[in-house]
């Protein structure tokens, strides 16, 4: 099984197949979603104390905060680079 990984900043990596949405944290509904995820213990803060610039929603219900712009994460998501298959890095 091949797994594509996406760098979301500061060496943090997320499985590309699990990402449902990448949004900006500016709107009130997104801020509420972040607070609800925090209350349910499914919030992952990968900002290293910096300003949140992208909020990533996954198919497992987790919400990930990133200090990288949503456009940057999306560009990295569309990049067809190395893939991990059976514990080994292969290229596509």
């Amino acid at each position: 099984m091949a797994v594509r990984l996406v760098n979301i900043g500061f060496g943090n990596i997320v499985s590309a197949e699990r990402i449902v949405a990448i949004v900006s944290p500016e709107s009130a509904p997104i801020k509420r979603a972040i607070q609800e995820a925090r209350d349910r213990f499914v919030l992952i803060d990968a900002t290293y104390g910096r300003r949140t610039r992208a909020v990533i929603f996954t198919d497992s219900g987790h919400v990930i905060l990133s200090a990288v712009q949503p456009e940057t994460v999306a560009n990295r998501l569309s990049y067809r680079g190395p893939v991990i298959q059976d514990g080994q890095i292969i290229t596509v």
Side-chain angles (χ1 to χ4, degrees):
M1 180 172 106
V3 177
R4 281 191 40 233
L5 301 174
V6 177
N7 184 335
I8 61 165
F10 303 107
N12 298 298
I13 301 172
V14 175
S15 173
E17 288 78 20
R18 306 301 300 262
I19 295 175
V20 174
I22 306 167
V23 297
S24 174
E26 308 300 322
S27 71
I30 300 302
K31 289 179 182 178
R32 274 194 302 274
I34 293 169
Q35 186 58 49
E36 289 171 7
R38 183 175 282 121
D39 294 342
R40 290 189 336 247
F41 301 102
V42 292
L43 180 71
I44 301 169
D45 187 348
T47 62
Y48 280 69
R50 291 178 175 77
R51 180 174 172 238
T52 299
R53 294 199 170 132
V55 181
I56 302 167
F57 292 90
T58 66
D59 61 354
S60 64
H62 288 83
V63 177
I64 304 168
L65 306 180
S66 173
V68 177
Q69 292 287 346
E71 295 83 13
T72 303
V73 177
N75 287 338
R76 293 175 183 177
L77 185 60
S78 64
Y79 170 70
R80 288 294 205 186
V83 173
I84 297 177
Q85 184 172 14
D86 298 326
Q88 295 184 0
I89 298 177
I90 61 172
T91 56
V92 237

